[in-house]
Amino acid sequence: MTDTAKKVLLAAPRGYCAGVDRAVETVERALEKYGAPVYVRKEIVHNRYVVDTLAERGAIFVDETTEVPEGAHLVFSAHGVSPAVHSEAKELSLHTLDATCPLVTKVHNEVKRFAKAGYQILLIGHEGHEEVEGTAGEAPDVVHLVDGVEGVERLEFSDDDKLIWLSQTTLSVDETMTIVQLLKQKFPNLQDPPSDDICYATQNRQVAVKAIAPQCDLVIVVGSQNSSNSKRLVEVALQNGAAASYLVDYAHQIEPEWLEGVKTMGLTSGASVPEILVQGVLDLVAEHGFNDVETVTTASEKLVFGLPRELRPADRSKR
Ligand code: SF4
């Protein structure tokens, strides 16, 4: 095989979504405005590089609100928090900045609305994920987590119960639809949500991977192990014809043997991944003869979310 036969199919869209962009900028602007340290509850987004870079600039990441000194500035991550966490912060007189993605807030609002209307809510998502904990915390008595197809078996409701399903924003679209079909077989009166909870960015990145996967001997997904949407991209690649697929935080984690015999390599990144890390992979694989890079675009994204109110410029018209 000659090097000219080697090719990279670069999926687009990939990388940062509007919610991650906003969350990272929230911490950056907070550091500029209030000075270090600024505390952040949990990882602002699930990406090692982003967290390490912000920590170097003075962000302090904590697991719990109770670890933050009284009166300090605290940013809530893109994944959202439950009302109980908001209360804790208030009790400690913390100055909070909420970087929850508006598309996660939308699911919180749905939970509140359907709980008030007397529904039992079947929340499809991954147990222990911060987003799920925050969302379920809006109405813990009526939210029932459905984690994978196995989660369907455990559920029992009476015919009189009003049921609706909602979901985490970063799931596999196909797997979620499989779970919904199983739920509907078991509970025929189950209602659909008013709109998709799996967000546009998660869906777009999966569609782009589906487009390249059938042609790829290998698909590299740049993203962290605790990033739900990044892990789903590996699964989607494998389910759609990629011979192999791996998740890496950094280019140097690519094992040389993964590239052996590969003619066409796919490359994408999760919604919390800065483009510099994708470029690192392109630089590395170029050293192995993968110089021909073709971008495969399946959607264009223009969505931008405004910063939390406290960090917006006072009067943009004067700038
Ligand atoms: Fe928001 Fe989706 Fe990005 Fe999560 S992946 S931060 S829900 S846009």
Side-chain angles (χ1 to χ4, degrees):
M1 186 176 64
T2 64
D3 280 359
T4 51
K6 293 182 178 178
K7 182 171 193 169
V8 178
L9 295 180
L10 186 57
R14 64 180 177 279
Y16 268 22
C17 60
V20 165
D21 208 21
R22 172 181 184 265
V24 173
E25 196 178 345
T26 296
V27 180
E28 290 171 345
R29 292 281 186 94
L31 284 165
E32 282 166 24
K33 183 167 178 178
Y34 307 116
V38 165
Y39 290 80
V40 183
R41 186 182 179 277
K42 311 281 186 188
E43 294 189 344
I44 183 71
V45 298
H46 285 155
N47 185 266
R48 195 67 259 148
Y49 174 89
V50 172
V51 168
D52 289 347
T53 305
L54 291 173
E56 280 167 20
R57 294 178 59 182
I60 296 179
F61 292 88
V62 296
D63 271 334
E64 295 305 332
T65 311
T66 47
E67 295 170 49
V68 182
E70 212 169 319
H73 286 93
L74 173 67
V75 179
F76 291 135
S77 80
H79 305 103
V81 296
S82 68
V85 174
H86 280 286
S87 301
E88 277 173 12
K90 206 169 172 188
E91 277 168 28
L92 287 166
S93 307
L94 302 180
H95 299 283
T96 56
L97 299 153
D98 194 352
T100 303
C101 175
L103 300 181
V104 174
T105 302
K106 166 188 159 281
V107 187
H108 281 232
N109 290 338
E110 286 172 346
V111 168
K112 284 190 270 192
R113 181 172 134 212
F114 289 109
K116 203 170 166 194
Y119 282 83
Q120 299 294 319
I121 298 163
L122 281 52
L123 179 64
I124 302 172
H126 297 297
E127 189 161 11
H129 191 280
E130 287 148 37
E131 181 188 321
V132 162
E133 288 175 356
T135 307
E138 291 288 355
D141 294 342
V142 296
V143 172
H144 309 269
L145 183 64
V146 187
D147 187 354
V149 289
E150 308 78 39
V152 178
E153 287 160 25
R154 287 198 293 273
L155 296 171
E156 292 299 337
F157 295 101
S158 82
D159 291 346
D160 296 335
D161 284 322
K162 291 204 292 184
L163 304 177
I164 188 158
W165 69 271
L166 301 175
S167 86
Q168 190 179 331
T169 56
T170 51
L171 301 181
S172 152
V173 175
D174 295 340
E175 192 192 342
T176 302
M177 286 307 123
T178 303
I179 293 169
V180 169
Q181 291 317 316
L182 289 172
L183 286 170
K184 285 188 170 174
Q185 281 167 19
K186 190 166 177 181
F187 309 112
N189 58 337
L190 178 67
Q191 291 184 36
D192 291 323
S195 62
D196 278 349
D197 290 331
I198 299 178
C199 77
Y200 80 99
T202 299
Q203 296 195 34
N204 285 349
R205 281 148 192 71
Q206 289 176 18
V207 169
V209 164
K210 280 186 183 180
I212 61 169
Q215 305 158 65
C216 294
D217 308 306
L218 166 72
V219 172
I220 295 292
V221 178
V222 185
S224 292
Q225 286 296 338
N226 60 348
S227 163
S228 174
N229 81 88
S230 302
K231 285 177 86 168
R232 303 293 82 78
L233 291 174
V234 172
E235 293 168 4
V236 170
L238 292 172
Q239 286 159 2
N240 287 275
S245 182
Y246 299 99
L247 183 65
V248 296
D249 263 303
Y250 297 104
H252 68 77
Q253 292 169 341
I254 294 174
E255 306 278 349
E257 56 265 35
W258 296 352
L259 301 172
E260 281 172 18
V262 172
K263 286 185 179 171
T264 304
M265 179 195 133
L267 179 59
T268 188
S269 56
S272 46
V273 178
E275 190 62 10
I276 190 173
L277 300 179
V278 174
Q279 190 55 51
V281 172
L282 286 172
D283 293 344
L284 181 130
V285 298
E287 292 169 15
H288 292 262
F290 290 87
N291 292 298
D292 180 9
V293 180
E294 180 189 337
T295 300
V296 177
T297 305
T298 50
S300 75
E301 296 178 345
K302 296 190 171 60
L303 190 63
V304 176
F305 294 131
L307 287 169
R309 202 180 50 250
E310 303 85 338
L311 296 173
R312 285 179 208 156
D315 185 350
R316 282 176 184 274
S317 65
K318 292 180 184 160
R319 298 179 87 212

